[in-house]
Amino acid sequence: MKSTFFSKLVNNPFQDPILYVRFRREKDAVMFDCGDVYGLSVREIQKISDIFVTHMHVDHFIGFDNVLRCLLNREAPLHIYGPRGIINAVAHKLKGYTWNLIKEYPLKIEVCEVRKDILQRGSFHATQGFNHIVGPVTAFDKIIMIKEGITVEADVFDHGIEVLGFSLHEDTQININKALLLERGLTPGPWLNELKAAIRNNSKDAQLNIDGHYYHIEELRGLAMITQGQKIAYITDISPSEANIKKAIGLAAGADTLYIEAFFLAEDVERAHKRNHLTTAHSGYIARCANVINVEITHVSPKYITMLDRIKLEVKEGYPPCGSLRAAPSMS
C-alpha cells in the first residue's frame, strides 16, 4: 500500500537534526526541528505548513530565520509547536528585525507552546508588525494536531530543560483498487478524494457525483482498500533516565520508523548522563521495546565523525533484528 507521506532526514547524522515530511498529492509538508535548513530548497521550505520544535538550542532552531524569509509573502499561515518558552523565542526572533515594510504581507505565524498539562497559544501577524497576540490556553493530553487524517502527538522529556518528542501517524491508509475501478467503468477524478474523506469520516449517507451520475457511498466503498496507517516517531536530546526512556518507548510504540539520536557510544554512558543525551545502547533498547520496524539514526556527536559504522552497529546490537530479549542498558 502507498503511504500518504514521505519522510527524510535533511542532514547527515553529525549535522543539525531535521526531519522533513512531505505529503503525497498535497501541497503541504511538515518539519521536525528547525536547525540548519540549507539542505532544503526554497520550494521545499515554501511547502512547510507546520514546524515541530523539540527545543530552542541553536542546532534545533537557528533555521527559523531562513524559513521566515521564504514564507513572508505566503497566504497560508505557518504553525509552530514547541516546548515551554517557544512563544517568547519566536517573539524575540521577530523583534530582531525591522518590519516597517511588511504591513501588506499576508503571513501569520501561529505558535503553540506545549507544557505538561496545557497548551498556550500566541499569534504573530505581518499586518500588525509581528507583535505578539496572546492566544487561549487549553488542556493538553498528548495530541497537538489533527489534520486531514494525520495526527501528531507529543510528550515532554527532560534534557536539563523541557524538550518535546513527537510521533506522526495516519488514522487509516486508504488506497483505491485501480483494477476494480476500471472494471466498473469509472473515471478517476477528484471524487476519489471525496470518497476517501467520506470513508475516513465514517459517512453513511454521502452521495458522490461521478461524471454527472450520483452514487451512494455504499456503492463505492468496495473500491477502497483500508489498512493501518503509517507511523513515524522523532526523539532527540533526552537524558537517559528511566522516566524518559519509558516515555520514549510509549511515544514510539509500533512506529514504522523511529528517528532517534545516538549521541554517544555505549561506553560513554557517564558522559551521556552529564550531557543529557542517549547512548547507542539506549537508542537501540528504545527501538526494540517500542517494537518499531525501522530505526534511523540522527544527532550523533561530531567526536565520532569517523566512527559512524560503529555507531550503527551498537544501535543494531541494542535492537537485534531477531527480536531476542536482552537486559536494558544501565540507566545510572
Side-chain angles (χ1 to χ4, degrees), residues 220-260:
L220 303 169
R221 194 182 295 274
L223 296 172
M225 299 175 290
I226 303 173
T227 59
Q228 181 179 345
Q230 183 185 8
K231 176 179 177 178
I232 59 175
Y234 178 83
I235 299 171
T236 185
D237 292 66
I238 67 172
S239 66
S241 66
E242 290 187 10
N244 271 351
I245 289 176
K246 183 178 179 180
K247 285 183 181 182
I249 292 168
L251 187 63
D256 294 88
T257 302
L258 168 62
Y259 296 90
I260 190 167

Side-chain angles (χ1 to χ4, degrees), residues 207-227:
Q207 300 281 339
L208 281 76
N209 184 348
I210 307 175
D211 296 331
H213 298 281
Y214 284 87
Y215 294 80
H216 190 275
I217 185 173
E218 296 304 328
E219 300 178 82
L220 303 169
R221 194 182 295 274
L223 296 172
M225 299 175 290
I226 303 173
T227 59

Side-chain angles (χ1 to χ4, degrees), residues 65 110 123 161 216 290 292:
D65 295 41
E110 307 294 342
S123 300
I161 57 172
H216 190 275
V292 305

Side-chain angles (χ1 to χ4, degrees), residues 265 280 297 307-320 326:
L265 288 170
T280 52
I297 299 168
M307 305 170 66
L308 184 57
D309 288 343
R310 181 178 172 185
I311 294 286
K312 291 180 177 180
L313 178 61
E314 288 194 1
V315 172
K316 184 177 180 180
E317 287 176 344
Y319 172 61
R326 296 188 178 193

Side-chain angles (χ1 to χ4, degrees), residues 8 17 29 57 98 131 143 145 147 190 212 219 238 254 262 276-277 286 293 302 310 327:
K8 69 172 183 177
H57 281 166
T98 303
N131 289 317
I143 295 175
M145 188 195 83
K147 181 171 66 174
E219 300 178 82
I238 67 172
N276 294 306
H277 280 285
I286 290 168
I293 296 173
R310 181 178 172 185

Side-chain angles (χ1 to χ4, degrees), residues 19-33:
L19 178 63
Y20 184 85
V21 181
R22 178 176 64 84
F23 296 97
R24 184 190 295 271
R25 302 190 188 92
E26 300 290 340
K27 295 181 180 180
D28 292 350
V30 302
M31 187 167 72
F32 293 88
D33 271 335

